[in-house]
Amino acid sequence: MRIPTDQLQTCPVNSEIYRESDVQDLMNSISEVGLLQPLVVTPDKTIISGHRRYSAIRSLGWTEVECEVKEIPPDQIDVHIVLYNQGRNKVATEILREIKILYSNLWIGSGNNKGGGRNTQMRDVISQKMGISSGSIHKLLYIEEHQPELLKLIDDGDMSINGAYKETKRQMNIISLSEYVYERKKNVPLNIENLNIYNKTSEDMSEVGNASVQTIVTSPPYYNKRTYGVDGQIGWESSIEEHLERLMTVMSECKRVLKENGSLFLVIGDSYDERGSLRQIPHRISLKMSDDGWILRNTLIWYKTNAKPENGKIKRWGTSYEFIFFFTLSTDYYFDMDKIRVPYLTEFSRGAPRHHKTDSGVNTHQQTNLHHPLGRVPRDFVEEDIVETTLNNSDKFVPDKNLEHSATFPEKLIKPFILGTSKAGDTILDPFIGSGTTAKVSLDNERKCIGYEISPVFVDTSFQRCGSLMNQESSQVV
């Protein structure tokens, strides 16, 4: 039956479940082909299905519309709204509201488990009604309970449901470890020669003497992206300015302990703010360091050939690189190019004889290609054939998949940095040592290593990782 549009009323429950969305495309479609399905309304003319269509036809100036009237019990209106909207494009928070409505109205069984642990039979029923997997229902409920702030990232297309679920699981595992007094694992080696790790912030590295470090390799935490369950961690400040200030405190300490002929490699990525704009943290810290007297010798690009997949709804290019800033304190720094040369891209040989005219006739000479026998100078773009990314498990140490340090970089990436700017016996520093990649590469190549790590969990991870190398007895955790 046709009902005047001014007699229809929207249902408040609909606006509680679904956010307002643009209806221009729907208006264009209705203008071209008409209304393909009637609105579904109750006898009192409350709309159950068709709120977006109703908004579109009102904007088009329609005065009446075809409707299907249905008797629906008042306590079942929310369920019917959900079930009528299964063909609608929805974001994660809308899906969650639908899930909870169906759980409340279709509940079978009993229990009070949270986080998606509800009756699995019920979850399967809801999965069938909504047309999404039971696993996705579980993951969304788990994310909402433990890290609801990630839901906005999913809604905005900056993170997938699966990615947010993995991050939440990882974070909850760290929190569970930090809720009780941490007891060091008995199987973690405490004594490794040439390795000292300080379980504290690197904003104060008073344990390290002035001008005693040859090379610094590090990757600070992303800003406002991950928490490691430790109070006072860098990366979780209330503003970018505070974050940069704390990073510069660390860099000032690095400047103090670095030798005049030393080098620093800063591996740093960016993140997005709530507007969807890159925060430009790498550029900001680079400029601040230059203003503080550091000399920026190179900006290397670390291209991640197996970069983390991104939500297909994003309206930008996928992120597949990080910056590596190569800083020194002077232009007279130690650098051994022969330690880091790479193979030439093509094979070279002596050229065929060439002829050229002289005053006395024609001479021949053999053309010689002058190429270094150890290889070419590496480029400032770290390519696929040189380094495997962190998603390649063959180049990672992960004693517990739930404790994986999210900011880890592969050993192959930093090995040239250490070999090219230091000698055997030199000291390497990593003020954010994390899971110990810098320590492992340093010890592998006959260097000493000092690290700072605020999380006792990752201190042990570093020692466990390096303990597979050797069983010597002069290292300490402080």
Side-chain angles (χ1 to χ4, degrees):
M1 60 180 295
R2 299 187 71 82
I3 299 177
T5 55
D6 59 4
Q7 294 182 15
L8 296 173
Q9 57 184 339
T10 59
C11 181
V13 174
N14 187 82
S15 58
E16 293 172 5
I17 303 173
Y18 308 108
R19 63 184 185 181
E20 290 186 10
S21 57
D22 183 64
V23 295
Q24 185 60 54
D25 289 342
L26 186 55
M27 289 170 58
N28 295 339
S29 175
I30 293 174
S31 296
E32 292 180 7
V33 300
L35 196 64
L36 300 180
Q37 290 181 320
L39 307 186
V40 177
V41 301
T42 60
D44 66 353
K45 299 182 178 61
T46 298
I47 300 172
I48 301 299
S49 173
H51 285 82
R52 293 184 73 248
R53 284 172 283 158
Y54 176 67
S55 177
I57 63 175
R58 287 289 297 266
S59 298
L60 290 171
W62 287 24
T63 58
E64 60 178 16
V65 64
E66 187 68 28
C67 296
E68 178 183 356
V69 180
K70 288 207 168 202
E71 290 276 358
I72 298 175
D75 61 349
Q76 291 291 307
I77 285 179
D78 52 359
V79 174
H80 281 77
I81 287 177
V82 168
L83 296 180
Y84 272 116
N85 276 281
Q86 291 317 297
R88 177 176 182 155
N89 290 327
K90 289 163 281 193
V91 296
T93 48
E94 293 172 332
I95 295 172
L96 261 173
R97 295 182 196 114
E98 291 184 335
I99 290 171
K100 288 190 282 189
I101 285 172
L102 293 180
Y103 261 119
S104 298
N105 288 273
L106 304 177
W107 179 263
I108 52 177
S110 60
N112 58 1
N113 292 328
K114 297 181 180 179
R118 297 171 173 87
N119 187 299
T120 54
Q121 181 183 356
M122 184 75 266
R123 200 160 65 219
D124 290 339
V125 171
I126 294 174
S127 169
Q128 293 175 3
K129 289 184 176 294
M130 294 185 61
I132 65 173
S133 70
S134 176
S136 292
I137 292 175
H138 165 76
K139 290 172 182 177
L140 282 171
L141 290 168
Y142 188 86
I143 294 165
E144 184 196 35
E145 181 178 3
H146 298 295
Q147 279 197 291
E149 65 273 12
L150 296 184
L151 293 171
K152 185 178 186 302
L153 296 178
I154 303 174
D155 283 356
D156 294 343
D158 292 326
M159 183 176 278
S160 67
I161 293 175
N162 193 51
Y165 175 72
K166 287 183 177 180
E167 171 62 18
T168 303
K169 289 282 287 185
R170 187 194 66 81
Q171 178 60 27
M172 291 308 299
N173 190 73
I174 291 175
I175 290 174
S176 69
L177 286 171
S178 63
E179 284 177 345
Y180 60 86
V181 177
Y182 185 76
E183 295 182 3
R184 194 168 304 286
K185 301 172 190 151
K186 293 182 179 179
N187 63 339
V188 174
L190 298 181
N191 297 301
I192 299 177
E193 187 176 4
N194 297 327
L195 175 61
N196 290 328
I197 300 179
Y198 298 94
N199 185 197
K200 55 176 286 192
T201 176
S202 52
E203 293 166 284
D204 170 21
M205 295 191 283
S206 54
E207 298 82 4
V208 186
N210 295 343
S212 61
V213 171
Q214 180 60 40
T215 301
I216 300 172
V217 181
T218 196
S219 180
Y222 281 81
Y223 174 65
N224 268 11
K225 195 163 186 180
R226 292 182 176 88
T227 173
Y228 298 102
V230 181
D231 291 338
Q233 71 166 71
I234 288 179
W236 212 245
E237 297 80 11
S238 58
S239 68
I240 292 178
E241 290 71 25
E242 183 185 355
H243 176 63
L244 293 172
E245 182 179 345
R246 294 188 69 189
L247 283 182
M248 283 305 298
T249 300
V250 177
M251 292 302 110
S252 294
E253 278 289 83
C254 288
K255 189 177 182 182
R256 176 185 66 81
V257 304
L258 190 64
K259 294 180 178 179
E260 186 66 19
N261 69 342
S263 300
L264 180 146
F265 294 88
L266 184 64
V267 183
I268 187 165
D270 211 347
S271 59
Y272 287 87
D273 63 19
E274 62 280 356
R275 300 172 301 141
S277 173
L278 281 169
R279 294 187 169 100
Q280 303 184 70
I281 300 293
H283 307 82
R284 296 177 193 236
I285 192 67
S286 174
L287 290 172
K288 283 182 173 292
M289 291 179 67
S290 295
D291 290 343
D292 193 42
W294 291 90
I295 298 173
L296 181 59
R297 297 294 293 143
N298 278 110
T299 297
L300 310 179
I301 302 298
W302 171 22
Y303 169 48
K304 302 180 180 182
T305 55
N306 292 316
K308 182 178 179 180
E310 299 196 61
N311 192 310
K313 296 180 181 179
I314 61 172
K315 294 190 288 186
R316 57 174 172 79
W317 279 257
T319 303
S320 62
Y321 72 91
E322 287 189 21
F323 292 107
I324 305 171
F325 296 124
F326 171 28
F327 284 104
T328 63
L329 296 178
S330 73
T331 54
D332 185 22
Y333 56 92
Y334 175 78
F335 196 88
D336 188 348
M337 179 62 72
D338 289 348
K339 295 292 186 183
I340 64 172
R341 292 183 182 274
V342 296
Y344 287 102
L345 299 178
T346 57
E347 294 184 5
F348 296 94
S349 61
R350 298 179 69 85
R354 298 281 184 174
H355 298 78
H356 66 275
K357 291 182 179 181
T358 66
D359 292 341
S360 58
V362 176
N363 286 342
T364 64
H365 70 276
Q366 191 82 11
Q367 181 182 7
T368 302
N369 290 313
L370 299 178
H371 292 94
H372 198 285
L374 296 180
R376 65 178 173 88
V377 174
R379 309 285 168 76
D380 58 3
F381 184 84
V382 186
E383 300 175 90
E384 177 181 3
D385 60 339
I386 298 175
V387 64
E388 299 172 12
T389 72
T390 54
L391 288 183
N392 189 321
N393 291 329
S394 66
D395 201 32
K396 293 170 68 178
F397 175 82
V398 184
D400 182 335
K401 65 182 180 180
N402 292 319
L403 289 179
E404 181 180 339
H405 195 280
S406 58
T408 185
F409 38 61
E411 295 175 20
K412 289 182 180 180
L413 177 70
I414 67 168
K415 183 177 179 180
F417 307 161
I418 291 174
L419 292 182
T421 62
S422 68
K423 301 176 183 178
D426 283 340
T427 298
I428 313 300
L429 169 69
D430 188 341
F432 302 99
I433 202 163
S435 57
T437 302
T438 302
K440 172 70 162 49
V441 176
S442 299
L443 299 181
D444 273 346
N445 292 280
E446 301 178 338
R447 272 73 168 170
K448 302 172 185 177
C449 185
I450 298 173
Y452 282 81
E453 174 53 51
I454 196 170
S455 167
V457 177
F458 289 117
V459 170
D460 275 1
T461 299
S462 295
F463 273 91
Q464 184 177 352
R465 180 177 195 175
C466 296
S468 61
L469 270 170
M470 54 193 76
N471 293 308
Q472 288 117 342
E473 305 186 357
S474 64
S475 192
Q476 58 183 341
V477 179
V478 182

